[in-house]
Amino acid sequence: MGFQGFPPDTLRFLKQLKKNNNREWFQARRNLFEEQVKAPLTELVLQVGEALRSFAPEMAADPKSSIYRIYRDTRFSRDKRPYKTQIAAVFPIRGMPKHAGPGLYFHVSPDEVLMGGGIYMPDSGVLRAIRENITENGEKFLSIVEGKAFRKTFGDLEGEQLKSMPKGFRADSVAAKYLRYKQILFGEMFEAGLAETPQLFSAIVACFKKGMPLIRFLHQPAARALNASSRLGAERATDF
C-alpha cells in the first residue's frame, strides 16, 4: 500500500519531547521512540529509496546512514538540551562522503515538514569548483534555478551569501549573483499535519524529482574537486 503517513503517536512523542527535553524523560520512553518514531521513519526512508531508483539511482538511501541521530551535539553549544525535536533523513550521492557533496533532505517536526536539498557546507575546494561550473555553464544553471517548475516549487535559492563577489570571479558573468552563495539550498515547507497523511510520501518524491537537475549540476564539480583532493592527499602521503 505504500507509506501511509506517520501515526499520530509520532508527532505526539515529538511534542512531548519538546516539553521534556531531558535524559530522564527520554530514557524512560526509549521503547516508545523506537516503535512510534524510528520504525516509521525507517520505513519511509526505505520507500523513498525505492522511488529514487526510478529517477535518481545515483542517490543513496540507507536507514543506517540516512537517518540523523536524535541526539544533539552539545559540545560547542550554549544550548545543552540533549535531543533534537525533529526527525530527519538525508540522501547523499552514492559513493560520496555524506555531507561533502550535494544531497536531498527532509525533516518532520511538531511545527512543520520541510523537504528539499542542495549543498550545505562545501569545503573551499568544492565551493570554488561549483562557482567555476556556474561561471562556465551559466545559461544551464539559470535554466535550472530560474526555470518555471523550479521557481514555482522552491522560489529563490537559499543559503548564506558573501557580501561581495568572491576573488577571482567576474561580476559580469551570466549567473554572477549566484557566485556569492556559500551554500546552495532549495526547499519547500508544509504544515506538520502532512506528516500523518499518505500525501507526505508523494510530496517528498515530487520535491526530489524537481530538485534533481540542480543536484546533478552540483555533483559534477563537487566530485571533481573531491577526487582531486584525494589524489593530492595520496601523493603527499607517498612523500613520507
Side-chain angles (χ1 to χ4, degrees):
M1 294 178 61
F3 189 77
Q4 296 299 296
F6 286 94
D9 287 338
T10 302
L11 289 183
R12 189 177 300 120
F13 184 95
L14 295 175
K15 289 176 182 177
Q16 292 173 351
L17 178 59
K18 193 172 183 179
K19 295 178 181 178
N20 303 277
N21 200 328
N22 61 78
R23 289 180 175 82
E24 293 75 18
W25 186 91
F26 185 86
Q27 291 300 328
R29 294 160 180 82
R30 176 179 287 277
N31 288 341
L32 293 178
F33 169 75
E34 296 289 338
E35 296 170 5
Q36 300 172 358
V37 181
K38 192 172 181 179
L41 177 59
T42 298
E43 180 61 26
L44 176 56
V45 168
L46 289 171
Q47 293 199 26
V48 170
E50 287 291 327
L52 286 171
R53 291 180 187 177
S54 67
F55 66 91
E58 68 267 44
M59 308 306 291
D62 177 0
K64 290 183 179 180
S65 57
S66 289
I67 294 176
Y68 284 99
R69 289 163 52 87
I70 195 70
Y71 307 101
R72 295 183 62 249
D73 185 352
T74 62
R75 292 174 298 173
F76 308 107
S77 174
R78 292 182 180 180
D79 183 354
K80 298 302 180 182
R81 289 176 295 178
Y83 303 104
K84 302 169 187 173
T85 56
Q86 65 186 35
I87 50 176
V90 65
F91 304 86
I93 292 176
R94 200 177 305 279
M96 294 187 74
K98 188 172 180 179
H99 295 118
L104 300 166
Y105 170 89
F106 73 77
H107 78 228
V108 173
S109 82
D111 305 309
E112 66 187 23
V113 173
L114 176 68
M115 57 192 74
I119 189 160
Y120 182 60
M121 293 182 67
D123 66 28
S124 59
V126 169
L127 183 56
R128 182 171 185 83
I130 288 172
R131 286 171 172 161
E132 290 172 347
N133 197 37
I134 292 174
T135 299
E136 296 167 4
N137 300 282
E139 295 289 351
K140 181 179 179 180
F141 182 76
L142 292 178
S143 72
I144 296 171
V145 302
E146 296 186 358
K148 186 176 181 180
F150 190 94
R151 291 297 294 270
K152 183 177 179 180
T153 302
F154 305 118
D156 294 329
L157 287 179
E158 300 178 14
E160 293 185 14
Q161 300 180 42
L162 297 172
K163 293 182 179 180
S164 59
M165 191 64 56
K167 292 181 179 179
F169 293 90
R170 295 168 57 97
D172 61 352
S173 63
V174 173
K177 71 176 184 178
Y178 295 104
L179 299 177
R180 295 188 289 107
Y181 280 73
K182 297 192 291 182
Q183 304 168 306
I184 297 179
L185 305 173
F186 62 90
E188 53 183 334
M189 192 178 296
F190 301 87
E191 293 183 358
L194 176 69
E196 297 178 351
T197 73
Q199 285 70 44
L200 173 65
F201 174 76
S202 57
I204 291 173
V205 172
C207 170
F208 288 1
K209 282 183 177 179
K210 292 175 183 176
M212 276 308 298
L214 179 55
I215 295 297
R216 290 182 173 122
F217 185 94
L218 298 173
H219 173 212
Q220 296 173 1
R224 287 197 302 268
L226 290 171
N227 289 338
S229 178
S230 296
R231 288 196 301 270
L232 181 60
E235 290 170 0
R236 287 177 174 173
T238 62
D239 293 337
F240 293 94

